[in-house]
Amino acid sequence: MRVKTAGLTTLATVPALLLATACTSGDDGRPAKDTDTPASTATATATSAGTGTDTGKGGGGGSDASAPLNGPQLERAALATGDLAGFQVSSGKSALAPSGQPASDKPQCQPLADAMGDRPSPQADRTVSRGLGSLKNLGLAVSASLSSYSRADAGKLMAGLKSAVAACGGGFGATLDGRSGAYREVKAAAFTTRGADETVSWTTVGTNEGAVAPIHMVVVRKGATVARFMALDLALRTPPRVPQEVADKQLAKVVQVLAG
């Protein structure tokens, strides 16, 4: 299934994550490439203290959720074809999508801009991405990613997102690869993920040169592992929502891999 994004591809941060779904045609049957790159040395913008103090220096596995998952473990934990009835699953990110972390024009909103980039934040050790297209609700596109962190950095990420959602209701601008966009109406949204340690969910409306895109974001932490979801209705018919079954299934797979 190929979905046309029209003017939405000009939005600064939407392409970096969403084109993984919008510009791929169904499941190619190949595993996503683990970015497996060192965490950025950029200073984190979130100043809120994270939860948890153990850093989880090991390679993941066992019953220790504080241990970061390695590349193969992230691949096993990521959503795959057959996991969810009614969804196509595509691996990796479109070659058309920009790379990197968007820059916010308001420092307090940088965690929200980061959440739409290659990684939920620059501190991620490694990230794998998936794109999901709904076969029941045509036009609903969901990007999902799994990232490994130290336990401390995972907690700081969640604290930073909570603070940013509270501080950025009036919106913010973001720039990525020379493209600029604006995000308005940032609102906390109720969302509970079964088995999660923490969940942060919000809605926003992305705008650029007449294109308007309502977006639903969900970021979930399980120990040192962070799952991120972004939903967009490419048909622009109804406000998008990350399907509950997508988030629950992703967390269930993470728990299964953590259990060994």
Side-chain angles (χ1 to χ4, degrees), residues 35-145:
T35 57
D36 205 6
T37 52
S40 168
T41 56
T43 302
T45 56
T47 57
S48 300
T51 57
T53 57
D54 52 324
T55 58
K57 296 295 184 180
S63 59
D64 185 5
S66 68
L69 297 180
N70 59 33
Q73 289 170 326
L74 283 177
E75 287 290 352
R76 291 203 304 272
L79 294 171
T81 299
D83 283 342
L84 290 159
F87 288 90
Q88 287 183 319
V89 180
S90 301
S91 301
K93 186 178 71 172
S94 168
L96 300 176
S99 298
Q101 302 301 122
S104 171
D105 62 351
K106 298 179 180 179
Q108 67 270 29
C109 303
Q110 186 59 44
L112 302 182
D114 274 332
M116 294 187 185
D118 279 345
R119 308 169 180 182
S121 74
Q123 288 69 40
D125 290 327
R126 52 182 63 86
T127 296
V128 297
S129 299
R130 296 290 189 265
L132 291 87
S134 175
L135 300 177
K136 299 177 182 178
N137 184 5
L138 296 182
L140 176 63
V142 181
S143 283
S145 71

